[in-house]
């Protein structure tokens, strides 16, 4: 059980985590007991830890409700411009601690729970992650909601309330196994059902023309039931709303007449974006942001509402629609750009398909007028693709139907202008913009790394919590040995705590003085977890070759989920775990090198690993990562970055100075040149002995002795059809990793590790430390 805060600790934490007043604590205890008794109908004799979590959640929620109602009243009275953020993913994680921090209740709640004889961390661990997303797109949406509330914007998040979130990942015998994420099985204390706002959503049917105009008739109806979740701003009394919609069958729903299999498949394919868009009826005082192409059907749906129901003429409706929508693109990979079969839309949404055809006709008429002889351009820019079956290009629909299109990092935005959507950019260059992704410092510093957050607040004040540019003031502390030691102690404390977690979960002895080298994100070939794995094998081989040579100890931590149907991604997971099995059990290696595969990587696990990280791996092939936000979270928590000039790494390098990051490998122009010349993997294999050794070991079954052929698919891909050119960057990556080890050795003190802290202004604070002694580099 955590000890109560000392007076000194309370003084240090007043500014960021709230005041611990006797009245506050007494009120929270009273609320807690009231909810335990009246809401949960339990007493302390029979209550479970989950009951205590729910009692605390309801108590904290009570402090939200008044602010929530007053915020919505204020919006009603003042009628500000409203922003609707449409996303099929909101990767929210846990809500309790974030809410306590944003309301300034954290310290008071900690004290109240302590006085009640309970442990706050235990209660927080009872909360299910709201895993309604996977990776950066969904987490960006969650960070956006927090930031908009903190800025006091009249903003709303609209999405789908999936009964099952992103799957829970289990690693069994080194393989990923998916289990259902039944995140709602115990209920959700943060949401409020709104059956009074239930709306019909139509599918199937046919289109009729009559005197009254176009009518969509004989449809099947599914009811959309909204659930509202409060989104509090940081210490500003603003509480915005995230509204998620759940499908409900109407009373007269005839299951015999409705192909349930098709409907479920459509949900799985994320083709029901109209669940979100159905409720929107904007005027010029509304902006709707499309978070990638998933909610693209909002565009024809809004046109349908205007033309069929409100009887606006087409041109007026189209002008309003284009002024209303803006589109954020999240990927340059062609396979990730959605294309929906015309046959599916013909059956499922026949009226919307008609509208898309008309939008396309007007669009192509404009292109034809400007480029009458350029039939290839007209084909390339059409919303309807004919090659390989008729399909609707949803990205083209979003571009044509929006007044603004943005990428999520400068390099990404340039690529979509000059390559992916070049034709559209040439036609309307003013439409294309850049909006580099960001992260909320409330969750990704205050919540997950309170020690560092408080230390910074003590040094430069608390304004940085809402304005990260204030971190530039840390430059003045570059030569402040006391501050540097405090920072390094926070990092080491975080590493000690995470080491205990890892040892408990994975029964692998962790050296907390080792460098924590972390690579956590979705498992995908372009993110190049394979390159990291080859480095692990190389380090292993070096230790085995010369066990007595100095070696900077590393704990390499990799985590992430592979899409259930993505064979190669699952093979990559199996390879990493197989390599880890050999490395971790080899007595010659000992404490010098450990490999951990984090099972079921999710928001709440990210909150544990990021504050403990020394080195952040951001090693995608240049030109393939749209932005990345993990890179920012790690940097905000004092980790250094090894990475390619890709995504937001480019802007981070501009801010910090390229010399203050470990940048390696090909640039975008190098990759483009190689695509023209041709990439020959075998050349690198034959030229680089350590690469050849690692690949031969994988290929021969060294890491899978019972199944020597197990990784043939992986090595075959690397030699014959590796679009992401792992071998081409291997040598430079290894050299860059050697520089990492050298610097870590230089700035390490035994037994305390002195971390680096990278500020937003771009300078690295390097402590004036002597060389580490040989007891550490062992």
């Amino acid at each position: 059980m955590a000890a109560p805060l000392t007076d000194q600790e309370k003084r240090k934490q007043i500014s960021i985590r709230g005041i611990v007043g006797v009245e506050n604590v007494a009120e929270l205890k009273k609320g807690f007991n009231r909810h335990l008794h009246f809401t949960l109908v339990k007493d302390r004799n029979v209550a479970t830890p989950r009951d205590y979590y729910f009692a605390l959640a309801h108590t904290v929620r009570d402090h939200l409700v008044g602010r929530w109602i007053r915020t919505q009243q204020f919006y009603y009275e003042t009628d500000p411009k409203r922003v609707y953020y449409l996303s099929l993913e909101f990767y929210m994680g846990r809500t309790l601690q974030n809410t306590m921090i944003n309301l300034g209740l954290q310290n008071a709640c900690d004290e109240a729970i302590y006085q009640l004889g309970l442990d706050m961390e235990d209660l927080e661990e009872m909360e299910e992650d709201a895993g309604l997303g996977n990776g950066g797109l969904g987490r960006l949406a969650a960070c956006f909601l927090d930031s908009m509330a903190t800025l006091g914007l009249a903003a709303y998040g609209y999405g789908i309330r999936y009964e099952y979130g992103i799957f829970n990942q289990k690693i069994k015998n080194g393989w990923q196994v998916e289990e259902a994420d039944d995140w709602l099985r115990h209920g959700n204390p943060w949401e409020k059902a709104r059956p009074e706002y239930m709306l019909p959503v139509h599918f199937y049917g046919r289109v009729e023309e009559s005197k009254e105009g176009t009518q969509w008739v004989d449809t099947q109806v599914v009811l959309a039931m909204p659930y509202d979740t409060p989104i509090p701003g940081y210490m500003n009394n603003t509480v915005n709303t995230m509204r998620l919609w759940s499908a409900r069958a109407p009373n007269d729903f005839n299951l015999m007449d409705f192909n349930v299999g098709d409907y479920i498949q459509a949900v799985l394919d994320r083709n029901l974006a109209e669940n979100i868009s159905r409720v929107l009826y904007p005027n010029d005082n509304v902006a709707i942001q499309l978070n990638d192409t998933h909610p693209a059907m909002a565009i024809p749906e809004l046109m349908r509402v205007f033309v069929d129901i409100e009887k606006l003429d087409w041109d007026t409706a189209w002008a309003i629609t284009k002024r209303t929508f803006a589109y954020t693109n999240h990927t340059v990979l062609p396979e990730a750009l959605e294309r929906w079969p015309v046959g599916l839309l013909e059956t499922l949404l026949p009226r919307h398909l008609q509208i898309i055809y008309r939008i396309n006709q007007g669009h192509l008429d404009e292109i034809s007028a400007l480029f009458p002889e350029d039939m290839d351009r007209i084909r390339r820019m059409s919303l309807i693709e004919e090659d390989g079956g008729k399909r609707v290009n949803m990205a083209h629909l979003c571009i044509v139907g929006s007044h603004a299109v943005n990428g999520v990092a400068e390099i990404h935005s340039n690529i979509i202008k000059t390559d992916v959507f070049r034709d559209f950019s040439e036609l309307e260059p003013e439409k294309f913009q850049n909006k580099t992704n960001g992260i909320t410092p409330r969750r990704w510093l205050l919540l997950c790394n309170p020690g560092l957050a408080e230390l910074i607040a003590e040094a430069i004040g608390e304004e940085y919590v809402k304005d990260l540019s204030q971190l530039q003031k840390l430059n003045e502390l570059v030569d402040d040995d006391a501050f540097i030691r405090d920072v390094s102690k926070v990092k080491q404390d975080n590493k000690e705590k995470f080491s205990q977690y890892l040892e408990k979960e994975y029964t692998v002895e962790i050296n907390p003085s080792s460098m924590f080298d972390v690579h956590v994100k979705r498992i995908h070939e372009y993110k190049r977890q394979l390159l990291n794995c080859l480095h692990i094998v190389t380090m292993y081989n070096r230790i085995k070759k010369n066990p007595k040579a100095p070696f900077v100890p590393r704990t390499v931590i990799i985590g992430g989920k592979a899409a259930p149907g993505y064979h190669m991604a699952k093979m990559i997971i199996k390879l990493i775990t197989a390599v880890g099995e050999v490395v971790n059990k080899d007595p010659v290696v000992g404490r010098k090198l450990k490999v951990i595969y984090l099972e079921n990587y999710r928001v709440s696990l990210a909150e544990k690993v990021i504050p403990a990280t020394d080195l952040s791996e951001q090693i995608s092939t240049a030109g393939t990562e749209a932005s990345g936000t993990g890179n920012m979270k790690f940097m905000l928590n004092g980790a250094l970055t090894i990475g390619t000039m890709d995504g937001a790494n480019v802007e981070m390098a501009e801010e910090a100075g390229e010399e203050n990051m470990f940048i390696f490998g090909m640039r975008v122009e190098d990759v483009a040149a190689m695509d023209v010349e041709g990439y020959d993997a075998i050349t690198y294999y034959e030229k680089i002995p350590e690469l050849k050794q690692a690949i031969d070991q994988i290929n021969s079954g060294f890491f899978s002795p019972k199944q020597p052929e197990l990784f043939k698919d992986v090595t075959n891909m690397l030699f014959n059809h590796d679009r992401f050119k792992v071998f081409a960057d291997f040598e430079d990556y290894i050299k860059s990793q050697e520089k990492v080890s050298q610097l870590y050795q230089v700035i390490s003190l035994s037994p305390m590790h002195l971390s680096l802290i990278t500020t937003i202004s771009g300078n690295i604070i390097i402590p004036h430390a002597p060389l580490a002694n040989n007891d550490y580099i062992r």
Side-chain angles (χ1 to χ4, degrees), residues 176 225 240 343 406 431 450 637 698 765 770:
Q176 171 177 296
M225 167 89 152
N240 284 338
N406 71 278
K431 179 183 279 191
N637 283 273
I698 294 168
I765 298 172

Side-chain angles (χ1 to χ4, degrees), residues 389-409:
K390 251 186 170 181
R391 296 177 301 176
V392 179
N393 186 311
M394 305 311 282
H396 290 185
L397 174 60
C398 288
I399 293 169
V400 171
S402 298
H403 66 275
V405 177
N406 71 278
V408 289

Side-chain angles (χ1 to χ4, degrees), residues 106-349:
Q106 176 85 66
N107 274 343
C109 285
D110 283 347
E111 185 64 25
I113 291 302
Y114 174 79
Q115 290 184 16
L116 287 165
L118 300 170
D119 184 275
M120 177 61 87
E121 282 195 19
D122 290 347
L123 300 193
E124 289 169 348
E125 286 296 320
M126 297 308 302
E127 183 173 3
E128 300 281 348
D129 274 54
L132 304 183
N134 180 28
L137 181 148
R139 187 53 233 174
L140 174 73
C143 284
F144 241 99
L145 295 188
D146 179 278
S147 293
M148 289 189 289
T150 298
L151 290 169
L153 299 176
Y156 304 80
Y158 276 75
I160 292 179
R161 182 180 178 267
Y162 302 107
E163 187 173 342
Y164 294 91
I166 183 68
F167 62 86
N168 283 324
Q169 178 196 57
K170 299 291 184 186
I171 302 296
K172 296 183 178 178
N173 298 319
W175 295 100
Q176 171 177 296
V177 177
E178 299 91 20
E179 293 183 354
D181 175 22
D182 190 6
W183 73 288
L184 289 170
R185 64 188 179 279
H186 300 296
N188 178 6
W190 304 106
E191 66 183 7
K192 176 67 178 78
R194 301 288 194 189
E196 67 273 23
Y197 299 136
M198 193 142 52
L199 291 167
V201 181
H202 297 260
F203 297 100
Y204 299 100
R206 55 193 173 82
V207 180
E208 281 186 354
E209 301 293 341
S210 66
K211 294 177 183 177
E212 289 76 31
T214 304
Q215 292 183 310
W216 185 16
V217 299
D218 295 338
T219 59
Q220 296 279 0
V221 173
V222 174
L223 296 178
M225 167 89 152
Y227 290 78
D228 288 353
T229 299
I231 306 294
Y234 178 70
M235 304 291 280
N236 65 356
N237 288 327
T238 296
V239 180
N240 284 338
T241 301
M242 176 177 69
R243 176 165 285 184
L244 302 180
W245 297 84
S246 181
R248 292 286 184 273
N251 290 335
D252 59 352
F253 191 72
N254 189 341
L255 285 174
M256 296 299 293
D257 293 340
F258 190 79
N259 189 327
V260 178
D262 284 350
Y263 172 67
I264 292 172
Q265 189 59 48
V267 173
L268 293 176
D269 291 342
R270 297 180 175 177
N271 289 345
L272 285 185
E274 64 276 12
N275 270 8
I276 308 170
S277 60
R278 183 71 52 173
V279 303
L280 299 174
Y281 180 60
N283 55 31
D284 281 352
N285 204 27
V286 168
I288 300 176
Q289 190 74 33
L290 302 172
N291 193 25
D292 215 24
T293 53
H294 306 147
M297 292 303 291
I299 294 170
E301 168 61 8
L302 185 57
M303 285 297 292
R304 186 189 72 82
V305 171
F306 283 155
V307 174
D308 293 359
I309 298 175
E310 299 302 323
K311 306 301 181 185
L312 293 181
D313 66 272
W314 179 272
D315 290 342
T316 301
W318 184 236
I320 296 174
T321 296
K322 286 191 72 170
R323 287 202 302 273
T324 298
F325 285 105
Y327 161 53
T328 298
N329 172 271
H330 278 273
T331 184
V332 299
L333 299 180
E335 66 267 28
L337 295 172
E338 290 184 291
R339 294 167 169 87
W340 295 2
V342 163
L344 173 67
L345 290 175
E346 235 168 9
T347 303
L348 199 64
L349 299 168

